[in-house]
Amino acid sequence: MEHIIIIGAGPCGLSAAVELKRRGFDPLIIEKGAIVESIYRYPTFLHFHSTPERLEIGDVPFTTPNEKPTRLEGLTYYRMVAQREKIRIHLYETVTSVRKVEGLFQLETTDRFGEVKSYESRAVIVATGYFDQPNRLNVPGEDLPHVSHYFQEAHPYAGLKVVVVGGNNSAVDAALELERVGADVTVVYRGEVLSPYVKSWVKPLFESSIDKGNIEMHFSTQITKITERTVHLVTREREWSLAADFVLALTGFRPDRVLLQSSGVQVNEETGAPAHDPETFETNVPNLFIAGVIAAGSRANEIFIENGRFHGKAIADVLTKRWN
Ligand SMILES: Cc1cc2nc3c(=O)[nH]c(=O)nc-3n(C[C@H](O)[C@H](O)[C@H](O)COP(=O)(O)OP(=O)(O)OC[C@H]3O[C@@H](n4cnc5c(N)ncnc54)[C@H](O)[C@@H]3O)c2cc1C
């Protein structure tokens, strides 16, 4: 039997594990992908918008030669912390159910070979993030093979017509990278102006590309349909279609709460946030905690590494008091 199982080896799950180790526990993390799988799946050449010290976990220093770390530096850092702290992690194993039976949690998992395993634990920390559930456009054609909610790098799109959907950092960064490789880029956004979260140092570059006619921008515009070669657009004034070889719908993510709900955690109908004590991150199910972006309501971008990394410390303090 385990004392504490953490579901997810993202920065916030890892942070919880380090804090628990510092207090004498030896938690087990079960992760369905690689260590910090979400960061691994970021755009290849991404620079974090945070400075390195704001991404640190367990007070392990993160220093980089430049002001903002690259994705690769992030991967190296979190991997190094997990290895140095000797955190037990079962990789490529997905937790499929969590149930509380007579005061103990029963977890079921499936590994990459399809083998089903069972675990028992006194406490569970759910730190499953939000990267698996993109905000969908909900339009016909969204599941066609040339439409994606993830952007890796621009090279495959060189010389092609690409429609990027969104008005936040992911869309703006992708559009600029696509412009640099010679793609024909159109950005479609339902907002009237760019998101206020767009990095202040990137916004002028994007605006300059629009002014120069290198990126075509359509604000206050919705996509109504995607076909194999076109996207259909509508504004208050008109309806029209654009040719598109690829569509990148970079419209953000939202946490998947099915696992939490199936284990008895209540979710607030209005905010979408799981019921939890904001001081301890314990849910309405005793000894079931949440850490990281899963704790956010409908505005998932209010919790990120910079603040979600502290959740584990609060949880470790509670469990130390409770069990020592
Ligand atoms: C492009 C991009 C750039 C960003 N830049 C920054 C930045 O500069 N600064 C910042 O603070 N934040 C940034 N963020 C946000 C940040 O990545 C997230 O807030 C952060 O990853 C949340 O950490 P987490 O540990 O809560 O979740 P995640 O990092 O998403 O980790 C969750 C983990 O749980 C695993 N998992 C999910 N379900 C299961 C399951 N059923 N069983 C087992 N494992 C499971 C996943 O594989 C994943 O590894 C950025 C996000 C994106 C998309």
Side-chain angles (χ1 to χ4, degrees):
M1 198 198 39
E2 297 288 340
H3 278 283
I4 305 162
I5 289 182
I6 301 170
I7 310 174
C12 302
L14 283 179
S15 164
V18 174
E19 297 296 343
L20 286 161
K21 284 216 91 163
R22 300 271 162 85
R23 289 159 182 78
F25 297 107
D26 190 20
L28 170 68
I29 301 187
I30 303 178
E31 161 58 54
K32 73 182 174 62
I35 298 173
V36 288
E37 172 76 16
S38 301
I39 297 176
Y40 174 66
R41 288 166 67 195
Y42 278 4
T44 309
F45 304 113
L46 176 122
H47 285 248
F48 285 88
H49 58 75
S50 307
T51 48
E53 73 281 0
R54 288 173 172 270
L55 301 172
E56 287 173 358
I57 55 172
D59 296 324
V60 179
F62 183 13
T63 53
T64 53
N66 299 308
E67 198 196 351
K68 304 286 162 69
T70 62
R71 162 185 166 276
L72 188 57
E73 286 165 342
L75 290 178
T76 309
Y77 171 76
Y78 291 113
R79 194 171 65 222
M80 180 272 292
V81 174
Q83 289 168 349
R84 287 268 172 87
E85 301 285 332
K86 296 192 171 49
I87 294 170
R88 290 188 299 140
I89 312 182
H90 290 185
L91 295 170
Y92 300 103
E93 190 171 329
T94 304
V95 177
T96 52
S97 85
V98 179
R99 283 183 313 126
K100 200 168 187 189
V101 183
E102 290 167 12
L104 287 178
F105 293 96
Q106 314 280 348
L107 281 78
E108 203 149 274
T109 70
T110 308
D111 74 8
R112 69 200 158 110
F113 306 110
E115 195 181 317
V116 174
K117 296 180 181 169
S118 305
Y119 297 83
E120 203 170 56
S121 184
R122 290 177 71 193
V124 170
I125 302 173
V126 178
T128 47
Y130 65 173
F131 213 55
D132 286 315
Q133 188 162 275
N135 290 322
R136 288 178 62 84
L137 302 172
N138 293 322
V139 297
E142 187 166 8
D143 296 319
L144 286 168
H146 69 301
V147 182
S148 176
H149 290 278
Y150 298 90
F151 171 72
Q152 231 65 59
E153 55 184 289
H155 176 79
Y157 307 102
L160 297 175
K161 290 186 196 316
V162 185
V163 171
V164 176
V165 189
N168 212 329
N169 280 305
S170 301
V172 166
D173 285 349
L176 285 169
E177 206 180 313
L178 288 161
E179 177 201 351
R180 282 197 289 275
V181 302
D184 178 349
V185 194
T186 302
V187 180
V188 174
Y189 184 42
R190 63 182 180 182
E192 287 172 19
V193 292
L194 289 178
S195 154
Y197 295 107
V198 170
K199 292 170 269 196
S200 55
W201 58 98
V202 174
K203 197 172 171 227
L205 302 176
F206 183 70
E207 288 168 341
S208 158
S209 289
I210 296 171
D211 292 345
K212 287 183 197 147
N214 294 344
I215 291 177
E216 193 178 313
M217 180 79 216
H218 295 283
F219 286 110
S220 306
T221 303
Q222 306 252 22
I223 291 213
T224 52
K225 186 167 88 171
I226 303 171
T227 69
E228 276 168 3
R229 291 166 207 269
T230 57
V231 293
H232 292 254
L233 305 172
V234 64
T235 64
R236 257 188 249 151
E237 292 81 29
R238 64 177 179 136
E239 269 180 49
W240 78 109
S241 60
L242 280 178
D245 295 306
F246 285 96
V247 179
L248 296 170
L250 307 179
T251 44
F253 305 95
R254 65 178 64 200
D256 180 354
R257 304 221 169 76
V258 173
L259 193 66
L260 269 182
Q261 280 176 302
S262 68
S263 57
V265 175
Q266 287 153 8
V267 170
N268 184 308
E269 296 270 323
E270 244 168 67
T271 65
H276 67 282
D277 179 332
E279 302 291 318
T280 62
F281 295 92
E282 188 166 19
T283 65
N284 58 290
V285 178
N287 288 326
L288 180 54
F289 297 82
I290 48 177
V293 74
I294 187 82
S298 41
R299 292 193 184 166
N301 56 6
E302 282 176 359
I303 297 180
F304 41 119
I305 304 170
E306 288 194 23
N307 48 9
R309 66 191 170 135
F310 297 118
H311 298 175
K313 197 168 188 301
I315 298 168
D317 285 341
V318 174
L319 288 176
T320 308
K321 246 194 236 159
R322 191 169 293 171
W323 288 346
N324 281 345

